[in-house]
């Protein structure tokens, strides 16, 4: 048999192979129905996937944020280390002044050992930045008899104690401070002592 | 007059009306089973409908359709082969052939006996080139072969068919070379 004969033979064998009309209609209806079903499934799957993505991204953001906060805190502490300048010459005799920054507040720590006669005086501490990126001005008053002053009173009476006073500076302000010099005024017993603190920034 | 662009559904329906029978015939020839061929037609056009947006007329619609059909048929063929292997492995006996009743069944049986000894690739190339009359180039695109491979495989497949059909187109037993009883009855 030649090539054309074989082709002819196959054409004869397959001549009647076609889809009956009603089968064709039924298959087309199935195709449309099945397409809709599969699209719905695909949408549900992609929604599930996007939920997973969202959860994954949220978790990653949380991790990054935690690390950022932790490192910011560390930087602040490190910055604090460089910013602690008890300027002994300028502080009233017997008072050791420390300045510590944290991620969301500042501490003023006074160590005082010899100035015992000032127990009724209030101590006013003001900070004022000299114009860094975000000048900061804070004023704290320490008055004997208030809760915060108890250890101060004890310090005054007992000669050696530590007092921490938190300044109401929020995190954003603190983070933006950068390098600047603060004037810290200690108003104490009718006279004012000013000391300069250089803050090296974060 | 310019024709209003068809929606994906309309375009695929037009393609379905034009080519569903061809895809069906192709699947029957390769798979040898009308019920599975119907499933193939359905699956092919579902895939066409789903990927219509990606098609964008970058290739001829018919070649693209045939490529999808080829992939579907190939998937089903592999499933069939695994099933057969499984049944043989489990020592299942094939069901006895039911008596031939309709002309369609008779024609199917004759076709199956003709193509029975051909491998999947022979069946593919014979169906596309000789039955569906695709060009060598289009057949190569659909099968993902070179045109040389299409020609060589077709040549071998035709030689194999010659042995089955005999000089007068009468089915011969490939083992003995003798004329088979009509339609295996």
């Amino acid at each position: 048999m030649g090539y054309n004969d074989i082709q002819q033979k196959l054409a004869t064998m397959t001549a009647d192979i076609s889809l009956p009309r009603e089968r064709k209609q039924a298959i087309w209806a199935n195709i449309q129905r099945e397409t809709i079903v599969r699209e719905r499934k695909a949408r549900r799957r992609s929604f599930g996937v996007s939920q997973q993505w969202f959860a994954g991204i949220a978790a990653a953001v949380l991790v990054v944020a935690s690390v950022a906060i932790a490192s910011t805190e560390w930087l602040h502490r490190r910055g604090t280390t460089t910013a602690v300048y008890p300027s002994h010459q300028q502080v009233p005799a017997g008072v050791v002044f420390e300045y510590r920054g944290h991620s969301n507040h500042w501490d003023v720590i006074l160590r005082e050992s010899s100035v015992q006669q000032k127990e009724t005086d209030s101590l006013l501490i003001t900070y004022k930045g000299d114009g860094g990126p975000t000048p900061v001005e804070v004023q704290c008053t320490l008055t004997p008899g208030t809760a915060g002053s108890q250890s101060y009173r004890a310090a005054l009476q007992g000669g050696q104690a530590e007092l921490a006073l938190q300044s109401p500076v929020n995190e954003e302000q603190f983070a933006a401070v950068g390098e600047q010099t603060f004037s810290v005024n200690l108003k104490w017993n009718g006279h004012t002592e000013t000391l300069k603190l250089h803050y090296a920034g974060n | 007059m310019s024709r209003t662009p068809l929606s994906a559904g309309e375009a695929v329906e037009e393609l379905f009306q034009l080519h569903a029978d061809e895809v069906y015939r192709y699947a029957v020839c390769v798979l040898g089973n009308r019920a599975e061929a119907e499933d193939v037609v359905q699956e092919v056009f579902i895939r066409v409908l789903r990927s219509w947006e990606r098609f964008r007329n970058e290739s001829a619609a018919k070649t693209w359709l045939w490529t999808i059909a080829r992939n579907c048929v190939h998937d089903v063929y592999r499933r069939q082969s695994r099933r057969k292997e499984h049944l043989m492995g489990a020592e299942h006996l094939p069901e006895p052939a039911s008596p031939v009743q309709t002309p369609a069944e008779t024609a199917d049986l004759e076709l199956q006996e003709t193509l029975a000894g051909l491998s999947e690739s022979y069946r593919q190339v014979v169906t596309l080139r000789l039955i569906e009359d695709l060009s060598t180039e289009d057949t190569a695109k659909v099968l993902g072969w070179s045109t040389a491979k299409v020609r060589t495989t077709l040549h071998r497949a035709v030689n194999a068919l010659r042995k089955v059909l005999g000089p007068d187109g009468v089915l011969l037993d490939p083992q003995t070379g003798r004329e088979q009883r009509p339609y295996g009855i």
Side-chain angles (χ1 to χ4, degrees):
Chain A
M1 278 185 90
Y3 181 94
N4 289 339
D5 296 329
I6 289 176
Q7 191 168 23
Q8 187 57 49
K9 178 78 183 168
L10 289 171
T12 310
M13 283 180 191
T14 55
D16 79 315
I17 301 178
S18 64
L19 284 164
R21 197 173 163 193
E22 68 278 6
R23 285 304 304 144
K24 217 168 171 176
Q25 284 171 344
I27 290 171
W28 179 246
N30 278 348
I31 290 166
Q32 289 175 308
R33 197 170 40 246
E34 187 68 15
T35 303
I36 292 167
V37 169
R38 289 188 193 185
E39 276 172 3
R40 277 187 194 149
K41 277 184 188 168
R43 269 203 295 274
R44 272 203 295 272
R45 262 202 308 272
S46 67
F47 179 67
V49 169
S50 66
Q51 274 184 321
Q52 285 173 355
W53 269 104
F54 180 76
I57 289 166
V61 166
L62 278 175
V63 169
V64 169
S66 310
V67 170
I69 289 168
S71 57
T72 308
E73 177 96 17
W74 180 77
L75 284 172
H76 283 179
R77 288 184 190 285
R78 206 177 67 158
T80 301
T81 311
T82 62
V84 174
Y85 289 104
S87 180
H88 299 285
Q89 291 81 11
Q90 293 172 288
V91 177
V95 175
V96 178
F97 180 91
E98 284 184 21
Y99 169 81
R100 286 180 189 166
H102 297 283
S103 64
N104 57 0
H105 67 272
W106 296 343
D107 287 345
V108 174
I109 298 171
L110 295 171
R111 291 200 185 86
E112 195 264 330
S113 57
S114 60
V115 192
Q116 297 180 12
Q117 70 276 25
K118 305 295 184 299
E119 63 181 89
T120 56
D121 291 340
S122 66
L123 176 65
L124 176 68
I125 306 168
T126 59
Y127 312 91
K128 188 174 182 181
D130 68 347
T134 308
V136 176
E137 188 165 9
V138 179
Q139 182 169 304
C140 305
T141 303
L142 182 64
T143 306
T146 61
S149 68
Q150 292 308 308
S151 56
Y152 181 57
R153 182 190 290 273
L156 291 173
Q157 290 172 347
Q160 184 72 42
E162 185 174 300
L163 172 68
L165 182 67
Q166 291 185 358
S167 64
V169 177
N170 65 32
E171 192 169 354
E172 286 77 20
Q173 282 176 302
F174 188 84
V177 163
E179 184 174 3
Q180 58 187 302
T181 304
F182 290 95
S183 302
V184 180
N185 296 314
L186 297 174
K187 287 186 181 175
W188 180 27
N189 196 28
H191 73 279
T192 302
E193 289 287 342
T194 301
L195 60 117
K196 295 282 184 184
L197 295 181
H198 180 75
Y199 185 66
N202 295 319
Chain B
M1 269 176 64
S2 62
R3 191 179 165 186
T4 314
L6 297 174
S7 69
E10 288 168 337
V12 175
E13 186 172 8
E14 198 174 288
L15 211 59
F16 178 80
Q17 295 303 338
L18 282 172
H19 300 296
D21 284 334
E22 295 168 12
V23 172
Y24 177 67
R25 191 162 50 230
Y26 166 63
V28 170
C29 289
V30 178
L31 302 172
N33 183 311
R34 289 195 183 221
E36 281 187 314
E38 281 190 14
D39 290 345
V40 165
V41 172
Q42 186 172 309
E43 185 58 32
V44 166
F45 284 93
I46 286 171
R47 289 189 196 181
V48 168
L49 199 54
R50 285 174 65 199
S51 50
W52 184 253
E53 300 302 323
R54 274 177 280 157
F55 167 52
R56 292 176 191 162
N57 291 316
E58 282 162 6
S59 58
K62 199 174 169 185
T63 314
W64 178 63
L65 173 69
W66 277 114
T67 308
I68 293 175
R70 186 261 171 183
N71 291 337
C72 286
V73 165
H74 182 64
D75 291 346
V76 176
Y77 189 88
R78 271 192 315 193
R79 269 206 304 274
Q80 269 186 349
S81 304
R82 277 202 296 269
R83 207 161 48 223
K84 278 177 193 164
E85 278 171 20
H86 175 73
L87 287 174
M88 287 172 76
E91 294 184 351
H92 279 258
L93 292 172
E95 286 179 17
S98 56
V100 175
Q101 289 173 348
T102 66
E105 284 171 337
T106 305
D108 279 3
L109 201 55
E110 185 183 21
L111 180 69
Q112 285 320 302
E113 285 177 352
T114 306
L115 301 176
L118 302 189
S119 66
E120 188 203 356
S121 56
Y122 282 10
R123 286 186 190 207
Q124 295 265 17
V125 79
V126 162
T127 311
L128 292 175
R129 283 286 289 119
L130 301 186
I131 298 174
E132 298 307 329
D133 213 19
L134 263 64
S135 68
T136 304
E137 288 72 24
D138 283 348
T139 306
K141 276 183 201 160
V142 170
L143 296 176
W145 297 353
S146 66
T147 50
K149 185 177 177 184
V150 171
R151 286 195 193 95
T152 312
T153 312
L154 181 63
H155 179 73
R156 288 173 185 162
V158 167
N159 281 344
L161 280 174
R162 276 198 190 103
K163 286 179 190 164
V164 177
L165 290 171
D168 303 319
V170 179
L171 281 172
L172 299 177
D173 188 325
Q175 304 295 322
T176 61
R178 289 181 187 161
E179 190 177 326
Q180 288 191 13
R181 283 182 296 168
Y183 315 137
I185 302 170

